[in-house]
Amino acid sequence: MASKVITLTGIGVVSLLLIGYCSAQDDYEEVGAECVDMNSRLPDGTYAVVDEDYCDDNRTYYGSRGAYGWYYGGIRSGVRIRQGTTVRPSDVRITSPKGTVIQRGGFGGRSSGGS
């Protein structure tokens, strides 16, 4: 009987430590993402930014107007963006300009929100 109490107490302590550690790990780097027309790449490496509704899901969309996808961590200049990547980074929180959370640090979930 005493060994069960010790085992359950040990499991409880380890669980609390694990929860505390995971809570402290929520400080992920934040990366912005813009929805771009993948067919608009110029020789200088820039892409045309489009409304993020075209990137409504987590994969590249091929529609009647072209191919659209997320461009991560770039520098926007007017209606074009550069110096980022189309490869989704891992273990970061990714948000769009409208506040849509594309990925929560490391788990890859997506939810709508923002203003």
Side-chain angles (χ1 to χ4, degrees):
M1 183 71 130
S3 64
K4 286 184 181 182
V5 170
I6 292 172
T7 302
L8 291 176
T9 302
I11 290 172
V13 169
V14 171
S15 297
L16 287 174
L17 289 172
L18 183 60
I19 290 169
Y21 175 79
C22 290
S23 295
Q25 298 303 309
D26 285 342
D27 296 331
Y28 289 100
E29 179 183 349
E30 185 144 342
V31 173
E34 296 271 2
C35 183
V36 299
D37 180 349
M38 296 293 194
N39 293 327
S40 69
R41 187 170 192 268
L42 295 179
D44 66 359
T46 63
Y47 288 90
V49 176
V50 297
D51 189 279
E52 74 180 59
D53 291 338
Y54 290 113
C55 293
D56 203 14
D57 52 18
N58 280 334
R59 60 190 180 279
T60 301
Y61 170 71
Y62 297 95
S64 60
R65 296 186 195 153
Y68 305 98
W70 292 108
Y71 191 79
Y72 307 99
I75 299 169
R76 186 169 176 170
S77 178
V79 296
R80 303 214 50 94
I81 193 163
R82 62 185 165 80
Q83 294 181 343
T85 181
T86 56
V87 178
R88 178 184 286 197
S90 61
D91 295 332
V92 295
R93 177 183 162 98
I94 303 171
T95 56
S96 74
K98 288 184 179 178
T100 302
V101 176
I102 299 164
Q103 175 176 294
R104 297 189 186 278
F107 293 105
R110 178 187 160 107
S111 67
S112 295
S115 47

